């Protein structure tokens, strides 16, 4: 008569525990959604007030309807076609939908290519309309997002920039779910690529989320509230319901940036100084001396189409 070997019983117990751990992790997942390059990122779409308003209203609808927290990061210098009054109208749409707003600099400068004092002056230049819109609703300007996620090419410049941000009362808005949505967005405005982008975008984004869920465990020892980077463009305006549904399928609830940052994971030391910009999970892994591991690339056809533009 066959008898179960004790080792098999232990393997079964271990497997059941692993399944339970994954289920519990999925049940408690949280993500903060952050959207850069307001009023409209560089997707090549129209930038007149009527078009940007229509895109913004569609982008914000699922957040407004479902009470989902979201924060937009503003480049006042992207509003040349809108003018100051037009930009204020767009920012008021965000605030009326319940969103928060942060500073993404005036001109989206690259800190690797300009002196620190020019870069910090550009941060201040990006404040007036943004601060006025927040103040009118009794709110304050609290968060700064580095363009390109570049925080300084040398330790000295990085420290100088952080000292400036501290003095201005800013908290840095890090990113953990970094991705290449901007590549898909640039192709989405081209009719020949539109349908293929619609089919590929959310599966690509899900591969990014799955990668960083696992990498969080490897680097931090557990999953924690993630911070997603997206850009203000037509692609995200039209596919946001599908993107939010993907997160829900994976067991996520949506939280504010402030709530996500309350997790102790965001106290991890970031020793990286250099010319690249990437997820804070990668920054922490470098600080810990872990072997590098990169997130999935966009499909080869996306990269080929971008190179051919």
């Amino acid at each position: 008569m066959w008898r179960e070997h004790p080792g098999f019983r232990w393997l079964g117990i271990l497997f059941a525990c692993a399944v339970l751990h994954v289920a519990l992790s999925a049940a408690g997942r949280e993500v903060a959604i952050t959207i850069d390059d307001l009023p409209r990122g560089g997707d090549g779409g129209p930038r007149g007030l009527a078009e940007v308003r229509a895109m913004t209203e569609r982008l914000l609808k699922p957040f407004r309807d479902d009470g989902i927290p979201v924060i937009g990061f503003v480049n006042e210098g992207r509003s040349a076609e809108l003018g100051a009054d037009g930009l204020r109208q767009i920012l008021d749409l965000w605030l009326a939908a319940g969103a928060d707003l942060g500073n993404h600099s005036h001109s989206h400068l690259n800190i690797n290519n300009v002196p620190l004092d020019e870069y910090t002056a550009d941060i201040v230049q990006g404040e007036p309309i943004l601060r006025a819109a927040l103040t009118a609703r009794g709110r304050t300007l609290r968060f700064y997002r580095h363009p390109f996620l570049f925080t300084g090419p040398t330790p000295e410049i990085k420290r100088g920039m952080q000292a400036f941000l501290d003095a201005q009362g800013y908290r840095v808005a890090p990113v953990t779910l970094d991705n290449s949505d901007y590549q898909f967005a640039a192709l989405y405005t081209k009719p020949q690529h539109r349908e293929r982008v619609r089919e590929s975008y959310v599966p690509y984004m899900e591969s990014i989320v799955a990668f960083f869920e696992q990498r969080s465990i490897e680097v931090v020892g557990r999953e924690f509230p993630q911070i997603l980077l997206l850009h203000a463009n037509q692609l995200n305006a039209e596919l946001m319901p599908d993107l939010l549904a993907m997160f829900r399928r994976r067991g996520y609830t949506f939280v504010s940036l402030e709530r996500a940052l309350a997790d102790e994971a965001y106290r991890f030391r970031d020793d990286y100084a250099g010319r690249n910009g990437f997820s804070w999970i990668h920054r922490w892994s470098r600080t810990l001396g872990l072997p590098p591991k990169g997130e999935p690339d966009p499909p080869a056809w996306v990269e080929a189409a971008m190179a051919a533009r």
Side-chain angles (χ1 to χ4, degrees), residues 40 43-46 184-194 197 233-235 309:
R40 181 172 192 153
D43 66 345
F184 289 84
L187 298 179
Y188 191 67
T189 57
K190 308 295 186 291
Q192 67 269 31
H193 297 303
R194 191 177 185 85
V197 169
N233 52 52
Q234 196 67 37
L235 170 65
R309 287 197 311 159

Side-chain angles (χ1 to χ4, degrees), residues 25-232:
S25 295
R29 288 171 173 158
E30 295 179 331
V31 62
I33 298 179
T34 70
I35 301 180
D36 284 9
D37 293 1
L38 276 60
R40 181 172 192 153
D43 66 345
R47 306 178 72 85
L49 180 57
E51 294 85 357
V52 174
R53 172 181 281 275
M55 184 209 74
T56 302
E57 289 174 341
R58 187 164 184 177
L59 176 63
L60 291 173
K61 187 177 188 303
F63 297 99
R64 182 182 60 247
D65 290 353
D66 294 338
I68 296 172
V70 63
I71 181 169
F73 286 92
V74 182
N75 297 126
E76 289 195 7
R78 290 184 183 270
S79 62
E81 294 88 343
L82 303 181
D85 290 344
L87 175 60
R88 177 62 185 268
Q89 290 182 44
I90 299 301
L91 300 188
D92 284 343
L93 287 177
W94 281 80
L95 295 170
D100 197 1
L101 293 173
N103 192 352
H104 196 34
S105 80
H106 180 270
S107 308
H108 209 279
L109 293 181
N110 182 341
I111 184 60
N112 296 330
N113 297 335
V114 299
L116 180 59
D117 58 352
E118 181 179 343
Y119 182 93
T120 55
D122 194 70
I123 294 175
V124 174
Q125 190 180 357
E127 294 180 352
I129 301 171
L130 170 59
R131 196 180 290 279
L134 288 163
T135 300
R137 294 176 182 265
R139 304 171 73 171
T140 57
L141 179 56
R142 299 179 293 162
F143 293 106
Y144 179 72
R145 166 69 53 73
H146 298 89
F148 310 105
L149 305 185
F150 294 167
T151 60
T154 67
E156 295 75 19
I157 292 175
K158 182 180 179 181
R159 285 194 298 269
M161 186 197 302
Q162 188 59 55
F164 170 84
L165 294 173
D166 292 342
Q168 293 291 110
Y170 282 112
R171 182 164 188 188
V172 169
V175 171
T176 57
L177 300 180
D178 189 22
N179 59 84
S180 298
D181 76 316
Y182 62 93
Q183 294 191 26
F184 289 84
L187 298 179
Y188 191 67
T189 57
K190 308 295 186 291
Q192 67 269 31
H193 297 303
R194 191 177 185 85
E195 286 307 313
R196 199 169 184 186
V197 169
R198 290 185 69 92
E199 294 171 359
S200 303
Y201 179 54
V202 174
Y204 160 75
M205 292 296 287
E206 186 160 13
S207 75
I208 291 290
V209 175
F211 170 83
F212 281 116
E213 288 168 355
Q214 179 59 36
R215 193 59 173 158
S216 296
I217 296 170
E218 296 167 359
V219 175
V220 178
R222 61 182 173 86
E223 292 192 41
F224 56 89
Q226 303 286 355
I227 300 174
L228 172 68
L229 168 62
L230 296 172
H231 293 86

Side-chain angles (χ1 to χ4, degrees), residues 13 20 54 67 71 95 181 188 194 220-221 238 243 259 265 271 285:
I13 292 171
L20 179 62
I71 181 169
L95 295 170
D181 76 316
Y188 191 67
R194 191 177 185 85
V220 178
E238 296 186 14
L243 197 57
R259 174 166 167 172
D271 289 345
S285 73

